[in-house]
Amino acid sequence: MKRLLTCIFVFYACYAFAQDKLTTSTFDVNYFKGNIALHNNDILHLIKGHPEGFILSWNKKTFGNQDWQQRYNYPDYGVSFAYQNLKNDVLGNNYSLYAHYNFYFLKRHVMLRVGQGLAYATNPYDKVENHKNIAFGSRLLSSTYLMLNYKKERLFDKFGLQAGLSLIHYSNANVKAPNTSVNSLTLNVGLTYNLEDEEPEYVYNIKKEKFTEPIKLNVVLRGGINESDFVGSGQYPFFVVSAYADKRLGHVSAVQLGADVFFSEFLKELIYYQSVAYPEENVSGDEDWKRVGVFAGHELFINKMSVVTQLGYYVYYPYDFEGRTYLRIGLKRYFGKKLFGALTLKSHGAKAEAVEFGVGIRL
C-alpha cells in the first residue's frame, strides 16, 4: 500500500519538476474553512462542524521559454503542503503533499490551481478501534485539490493577496476497503510573496502553424491491486490490456477510439462471496470475471505530459458490477515520441474501482 501511493506522488512530482530552469518563484499561504460535501448518504455520520486548515505552496513561474508555456498562458508549477482538521474525531486530521500547476485567466488575475499528491490520515478505519471511519480504509491516501482564486501580486512591495474557492478530495481508489472518500468544499484567503524584486518579460514568439499527424496505434498494459467494497475481502492484482487509435487535432489535443480487456481478480472473489452469502441475488458463482469494453477519449497535451479522459462501455459483461459504463481519467508522461507511462483512475461514475499504472507504445 505504501509503495503504491508513494509511486503515485513520485510520478506527479516528476511532472512538475521536469521543466526548464527559470528565474522567478513565489510562496503563498492560504487559510481555508468549509464543509464536507454529502456525495454519499453513508457518510452522514462523518459530517460534523466545518473543516479547516491551511495550504503552503512554492511556485515557479514560466515566461515562454518553450512553446507550450505560451500556449497555456505562462502557467506556474510547484509543490504544496496542506494540513486539514476534519472536525471529527472519527476522521481525525490529514497532512498532504502535492505537485501542482497554476493556470491563469483574465489578465492573470484569476488563477486555477490543480494539485495531485499523497495524504496521511491520522485516524483511518480500524475494525476494533475506529469502525465508523468508512471514508479512509488506509492511512496513506491519494489526494487531489482544486483552487480557484482571484489573485493580486505585489500590492505591498513583494506581498500580495488572493482569495477564492477550494475543493479537496481524499481517497485510496479502492486499493483497500472501506473507501467512501471525503470531499471538502471551502472558502480560502491567502497571502503571496515574490522572492525576486523584478520579473523578466513574457516571451511570445510562437509560430501559428497548422499541426497535422497521421492516425497512430497505441498499445497499453496496465496493472495494480484493489479490493471490493466488502471489508476484509482481500486485495488482489488486476491487469488491463488496451489498444486504441488516436488522431491529433492540433498541438494541444487528440481524440481516441479503442478497446480494453480487463482481468480483475477481485471480481472472482466477489462472485464467489455473493453466491454463498447472498443466494437471493441469483449469482451462481460460475460467472466469468473478465470484461471487455470499448471507449472514446480525449488527450490534452501539456509539454511532455498529457491529461487523458475516456468514456467506455462494456460489450462483454457476464457479471453485473457497478453498471456497464466506465470512466478513466489520469496522466501520461512521454519518453521520446513512442514510449509513455500512465497513471489513471478507473471508475463507474463517482465510484472508483482502481488506480492503474501503465506503460505503452505509440506506433
Coordinates of all heavy atoms in Angstrom, one line a residue, residues 47 120 170 179 222-223 243 342:
I47 N -20.1 14.0 8.9 CA -20.2 15.4 8.6 C -20.6 16.1 9.9 O -21.7 16.2 10.3 CB -21.2 15.7 7.5 CG1 -20.8 14.9 6.3 CG2 -21.3 17.2 7.2 CD1 -21.8 15.1 5.1
Y120 N -1.7 11.8 4.4 CA -1.6 10.9 5.5 C -2.7 11.2 6.5 O -2.9 12.3 7.0 CB -0.2 11.2 6.3 CG 0.0 10.4 7.5 CD1 0.5 9.1 7.4 CD2 -0.3 10.9 8.8 CE1 0.7 8.4 8.6 CE2 -0.1 10.2 9.9 CZ 0.4 8.9 9.8 OH 0.6 8.2 11.0
Y170 N -10.0 13.3 -0.9 CA -9.2 12.2 -0.3 C -9.8 10.9 -0.7 O -11.0 10.7 -0.5 CB -9.1 12.3 1.2 CG -8.5 13.6 1.7 CD1 -9.4 14.5 2.3 CD2 -7.2 13.9 1.6 CE1 -8.9 15.7 2.9 CE2 -6.7 15.1 2.1 CZ -7.5 16.0 2.7 OH -7.0 17.2 3.2
N179 N -13.8 2.7 1.5 CA -13.3 3.8 0.7 C -14.4 4.7 0.2 O -14.5 4.8 -1.0 CB -12.3 3.4 -0.4 CG -11.8 4.5 -1.1 OD1 -11.2 5.4 -0.6 ND2 -11.9 4.5 -2.5
R222 N -1.7 -2.2 -18.3 CA -1.9 -1.5 -17.0 C -2.1 -2.6 -16.0 O -2.4 -3.7 -16.2 CB -3.2 -0.7 -17.1 CG -3.4 0.3 -18.3 CD -4.7 1.0 -18.2 NE -5.0 1.6 -19.5 CZ -4.7 2.8 -19.9 NH1 -4.0 3.6 -19.1 NH2 -5.1 3.2 -21.1
G223 N -1.8 -2.2 -14.7 CA -2.0 -3.1 -13.6 C -2.0 -2.4 -12.3 O -1.8 -1.2 -12.2
A243 N -5.9 -1.2 -26.4 CA -5.4 -0.8 -27.7 C -6.4 0.2 -28.3 O -7.6 0.1 -28.2 CB -5.4 -2.0 -28.7
A342 N 1.8 5.8 -17.8 CA 0.4 6.4 -17.5 C 0.0 6.1 -16.1 O 0.4 5.0 -15.5 CB -0.6 5.8 -18.5

